Structure formats: C-alpha cells, structure tokens
Amino acid sequence: MSATENPMRDEIQNAISSHEVILFMKGRPEQPMCGFSARTVAALDALGASYAAVDILPDPRIRQELSAISNWPTIPQLFVNGELVGGCDIVTEMYETGELASTLGIEPKADAPEEAPVASEPGAPPLQIRNDLAS
Amino acid sequence: MPSTDDLKLRIEAAIPGSSAAVTDLTGTGDHFRATVVAPEFAELSRIEQHRRVYAVFGADIGGPIHALSLVTKAEA
C-alpha cells in the first residue's frame, strides 16, 4: 500500500519502526486512562525503561490501523525493535520472569519489585473516565 | 451481555482439548479474565497463544467484550 492510500497506517508503521521501544496506550504515561495501560506503564517504569508512548484515544482510527498492523485486538501494545511484545498480560508476566528487562536490554533498577507493580486498585473498573470539566 | 459461561464454552469449543476458567473482573459482564490450558499452546509463542484465544471472539473483543485478560498454558 502506497503512502497516499493510508497515511494513518504508514505513520503508525513508521512510529513502530523508528522507536526501539514504543507503547501504544490509552492516555499518556503520566495519566493512563485505563487500568491495563496503567499497569503496563508501571512495569516499564519500575524497570527504569525509556520508551516512546502514543495515546490512541484522540482518534479511533489509530486503534483500528494499529490492530490491523499488529494482528492484536486490545490496547496497550508494546513494541520492541519493531516487534509486538504483547499487551498488559504478557508484559506483566515477562516483568515477573525477568524477560521484560532482557527484552528491553536493560538491568532492572535495584529497587524494582519482584512482582509487577499494581497501578490501579484491585477490582477497580479498568476504564476510567476523565472529568475534563473539573478544574 | 456475554457471561463467563459463554466465554468458557466458546473457547473450549474452538480450541481442541482446551479447558478455560473465566472470571468477570468487574461484575459488569464486559471485563473478563480467562485462564486457558490447551495442548496446542506447546507449539506456540506466548503472543500466538493469546492471538489464538482472541481469535475465538473476533470483533467481540472491543465490542461487547471490552477487555479479556489472558493467562495461557500448554498444561495445567
């Protein structure tokens, strides 16, 4: 597919190719909008990983095109060296086995907890609605 | 609204020899967790194992099923 036919897909593909570690998520790392995205960010941050992040919420086409590229239906999605590593479950599992640090090619911080850090309260609905009216 | 039993039966019907334990994470019938054991997972990477289970539900993921958290294993 040429660049003119699907610029959104090309742009996402380009973002994946040009960043060693890139996370597609709901919200931003400093303000995740979903428990699964929050948990994935927490695992990366606990290892002291540096990564690019893309918020998929502003335009539904981002998620649509991303899932078409990755053959993965849910968000978040973590890519390392252009390859899909997984979503929240796999990232969390890999954190606990130590595979996440080795996949990222980093030494975990000395104070990194053994179990993947929990970012949201257990049982809390993963979807959080942001109240933009409050200021 | 899908039930935990619906998800369990759909997974077990689609993946030969599998067994699935499904819980409703929020009690709202749209956020689920499934632990799936299937012999064929022995041949698949973790990503492929999860893709296999997601494929059972197709467009229902992100539709009626907002979230499906997965644990997949080749043997119990």
Side-chain angles (χ1 to χ4, degrees), chain A residues 102-118:
Chain A
S102 57
T103 299
L104 295 169
I106 54 175
E107 287 290 322
K109 290 194 288 194
D111 60 351
E114 245 172 65
E115 281 196 12
V118 178

Side-chain angles (χ1 to χ4, degrees), chain A residues 20-63:
Chain A
E20 204 178 325
V21 185
I22 183 166
L23 177 67
F24 292 84
M25 61 179 290
K26 293 183 180 175
R28 299 183 313 270
E30 61 279 14
Q31 192 179 24
M33 303 300 284
C34 159
F36 298 110
S37 289
R39 197 142 197 235
T40 305
V41 164
L44 290 169
D45 289 348
L47 292 177
S50 57
Y51 54 96
V54 176
D55 180 3
I56 61 106
L57 290 175
D59 188 332
R61 289 176 305 165
I62 304 175
R63 177 180 182 156

Side-chain angles (χ1 to χ4, degrees), chain A residues 36 63 70-74 84-86 89-90 93-94 97 99 123-127, chain B residues 25-26 31-33 46-48 50-51 54 58 61-62 66-72:
Chain A
F36 298 110
R63 177 180 182 156
S70 62
N71 186 23
W72 193 260
T74 57
L84 176 67
V85 170
D89 296 317
I90 290 178
E93 207 175 309
M94 289 176 72
T97 60
E99 287 165 87
L127 181 69
Chain B
L25 286 175
T26 51
H31 292 81
F32 296 96
R33 176 187 303 276
R46 202 150 29 195
I47 287 262
E48 290 165 338
H50 285 219
R51 274 196 185 120
Y54 284 138
I61 304 278
H66 290 189
L68 177 61
S69 175
L70 294 176
V71 177
T72 52

Side-chain angles (χ1 to χ4, degrees), chain B residues 1-14 20-24 29-30 32-34 53 56-57 60 64-65 68:
Chain B
M1 188 189 298
S3 73
T4 53
D5 277 350
D6 293 336
L7 269 70
K8 176 183 166 64
L9 293 174
R10 285 175 72 180
I11 294 168
E12 291 177 353
V22 182
T23 55
D24 183 333
D30 50 12
F32 296 96
R33 176 187 303 276
V53 181
V56 172
F57 299 101
D60 286 359
I65 302 170
L68 177 61

